[in-house]
Amino acid sequence: MKTSGTASSLINENQNNDRQQRKMADIAQALQASPADVAALRRMAISEGGLLTDEMRCQVWPRLLNVPPNILEQEPETVERDNNKDYNQVLLDVQRSLRRFPPGMPDEQREGLQEELIDIILRVLKRNPQLHYYQGYHDIVVTFLLVVGERLATALVEKLSTHHLRDFMDPTMDNTKHILNYLMPIIERVKPEVHDFMQEAEVGTVFALSWLITWFGHVLADFRHVVRLYDFFLACHPLMPIYFAAVIVLHREEEVLDCECDMAMVHHLLSQIPQDLPYETLISRAGDLFVQFPPSELAREAAFRDCMATTTFKDFDLASTQQRPDSVLHLRRRRQLQQQQQQQQEVAERSKVARPSVTRRFVRLAVMGLTVALGAAALAVVNTALEWAPKLDLFP
């Protein structure tokens, strides 16, 4: 049995290596096409294993973000730190980012990368005064720095900041809270009982805030999982991270429903993200849910929901201080009962869309991603996800 098991393991390993080699060849072929086959690159980034290596990411990520080659050749300008309004906060955040660097990295090398990290952030903010720094932004920037280096990271982060991350970089968190409002409608479509339990507990969505604004870079310990998610997010719609947040909650359905229906307890459970998630399965499921329930279908409901990220956090803080969460829960439950009944009636009238085939899903996600890239100029002047979601409705 032991010999048989070893042989089986070797066969599986060889098959996996063969698949990776074929995928590497397919990526290279898509890159060499004139022009590059961006739709194919997006399919590769979405499909199992993503882009496989950092060397491939250096070549493919610029294509996914539609960054022109001439920009990549420009030498980054020096950044003046004195009297820079963001410098002190950026410095504090970067100094706290030690765990984001590979274990065992020499201090001198890490300190040099931290200096580059500060420069990239300040450089992007200087070039784009309409952008506002937020805590957690450095977790995204450091991922690009570690994968592609300072020069390329500067170009990619700037493009990302003016598009995918644009809502997070407003003067207020209004648009960020709006994006968080998509979380509960997604959960409600798939598992109404989980949605109802979370509503009963009044846990809100603040537990997912750090997931969303750092693209999970702040909460995942294994860098391999972080870059795999970045492959996926860069190839997809800007709202895909909230779909991935939803599938994490759905994956933990049993844990959630077994938890005491208490605001503090449920918040604590959900905020502690597991490190052993089945990432490929969740990525596939997030893609399925995006196709089944596109943002345009959820935009109206998200717009009319309470800003749970703020209102429930106040209740959570109050309950934690008073050690009497039940009183807060019951009070808010009575106020919202009528609204919830109306929402449930509306949901009951909706019909669910059948799950598409894997190939069709990848093609649709890739086409959607390409449309986002080509529509960069339009996205640059749009402020909220609600405004641009209907414009990107490719799934009638």
Side-chain angles (χ1 to χ4, degrees):
M1 292 296 292
K2 183 175 181 180
T3 303
S4 176
T6 302
S8 177
S9 177
L10 288 174
I11 290 173
N12 290 336
E13 183 178 350
N14 289 335
Q15 289 176 342
N16 185 53
N17 289 336
D18 289 343
R19 283 195 298 269
Q20 290 191 3
Q21 290 299 322
R22 287 195 298 271
K23 188 171 191 179
M24 295 282 281
D26 290 340
I27 294 174
Q29 182 179 358
L31 285 168
Q32 291 167 4
S34 183
D37 190 346
V38 179
L41 294 175
R42 291 183 184 279
R43 290 196 297 272
M44 303 295 175
I46 293 168
S47 63
E48 184 176 356
L51 297 174
L52 301 176
T53 70
D54 286 351
E55 289 75 17
M56 279 298 183
R57 293 183 176 100
C58 288
Q59 299 180 63
V60 177
W61 281 4
R63 299 291 187 178
L64 298 183
L65 285 173
N66 197 30
V67 175
N70 65 299
I71 292 181
L72 304 181
E73 297 170 0
Q74 297 175 3
E75 186 72 27
E77 71 274 19
T78 56
V79 180
E80 180 62 44
R81 297 185 178 187
D82 294 339
N83 301 319
N84 188 301
K85 65 181 180 64
D86 297 302
Y87 173 66
N88 288 333
Q89 184 60 58
V90 172
L91 176 63
L92 289 174
D93 290 344
V94 169
Q95 288 176 337
R96 290 192 291 257
S97 66
L98 297 183
R99 71 179 187 84
R100 292 302 318 279
F101 294 89
M105 175 179 284
D107 290 345
E108 184 178 353
Q109 182 182 0
R110 174 185 49 77
E111 291 168 0
L113 288 170
Q114 287 180 305
E115 291 299 311
E116 292 179 0
L117 177 58
I118 294 172
D119 284 342
I120 294 172
I121 294 173
L122 296 181
R123 190 177 295 125
V124 171
L125 295 175
K126 179 183 178 182
R127 292 177 181 175
N128 302 273
Q130 77 278 14
L131 302 179
H132 296 263
Y133 177 77
Y134 65 89
Q135 287 184 278
Y137 181 69
H138 70 289
D139 282 301
I140 289 183
V141 180
V142 73
T143 302
F144 283 89
L145 173 61
L146 291 173
V147 173
V148 304
E150 181 182 8
R151 178 184 297 190
L152 185 50
T154 298
L156 298 184
V157 167
E158 181 171 12
K159 190 63 171 288
L160 194 71
S161 300
T162 54
H163 297 93
H164 289 67
L165 306 179
R166 181 62 183 85
D167 289 306
F168 308 148
M169 305 191 76
D170 274 349
T172 71
M173 290 188 65
D174 290 346
N175 289 338
T176 301
K177 291 181 290 187
H178 172 74
I179 295 175
L180 280 168
N181 282 346
Y182 281 80
L183 181 66
M184 294 304 290
I186 298 170
I187 294 173
E188 184 177 29
R189 297 296 196 282
V190 183
K191 289 289 182 180
E193 58 271 31
V194 175
H195 168 272
D196 293 347
F197 180 89
M198 293 175 66
Q199 288 289 90
E200 180 73 24
E202 297 287 354
V203 68
T205 57
V206 72
F207 66 87
L209 177 61
S210 65
W211 306 357
L212 180 68
I213 64 176
T214 69
W215 276 13
F216 297 85
H218 182 72
V219 293
L220 297 182
D222 194 323
F223 192 70
R224 295 172 302 171
H225 297 152
V226 175
V227 294
R228 173 65 187 102
L229 287 181
Y230 277 43
D231 291 341
F232 179 49
F233 295 152
L234 288 172
C236 288
H237 191 287
L239 281 183
M240 189 57 78
I242 203 68
Y243 282 80
F244 192 79
V247 299
I248 289 179
V249 175
L250 294 167
H251 175 70
R252 305 181 69 191
E253 174 186 359
E254 292 185 8
E255 291 180 82
V256 173
L257 296 180
D258 286 344
C259 185
E260 183 179 348
C261 191
D262 169 272
M263 182 193 306
M265 296 290 289
V266 178
H267 175 89
H268 177 74
L269 171 70
L270 290 174
S271 62
Q272 303 299 310
I273 188 169
Q275 296 296 313
D276 59 346
L277 294 169
Y279 292 94
E280 295 299 338
T281 300
L282 298 184
I283 285 171
S284 178
R285 193 176 187 193
D288 285 342
L289 294 185
F290 184 94
V291 174
Q292 288 181 270
F293 313 115
S296 56
E297 179 182 321
L298 307 175
R300 179 182 177 85
E301 187 173 349
F304 286 101
R305 281 180 175 262
D306 289 339
C307 294
M308 301 296 287
T310 54
T311 58
T312 59
F313 186 78
K314 291 177 182 177
D315 291 344
F316 171 74
D317 187 52
L318 177 63
S320 300
T321 302
Q322 297 181 343
Q323 298 298 309
R324 289 291 305 277
D326 287 347
S327 62
V328 181
L329 289 174
H330 292 321
L331 178 61
R332 287 186 55 80
R333 182 62 176 170
R334 286 196 299 270
R335 289 202 304 261
Q336 293 187 352
L337 181 59
Q338 183 176 2
Q339 179 183 358
Q340 289 181 3
Q341 290 174 340
Q342 181 179 357
Q343 290 175 348
Q344 290 171 358
Q345 184 177 359
E346 293 175 356
V347 170
E349 296 173 355
R350 299 189 183 99
S351 59
K352 292 187 177 181
V353 181
R355 171 178 171 140
S357 68
V358 173
T359 302
R360 186 182 179 201
R361 167 164 51 87
F362 284 168
V363 170
R364 288 182 127 182
L365 288 173
V367 171
M368 168 275 299
L370 182 58
T371 302
V372 171
L374 295 177
L379 282 176
V381 298
V382 175
N383 290 326
T384 69
L386 176 62
E387 292 172 349
W388 47 251
K391 299 177 185 178
L392 297 177
D393 183 10
L394 305 179
F395 314 109

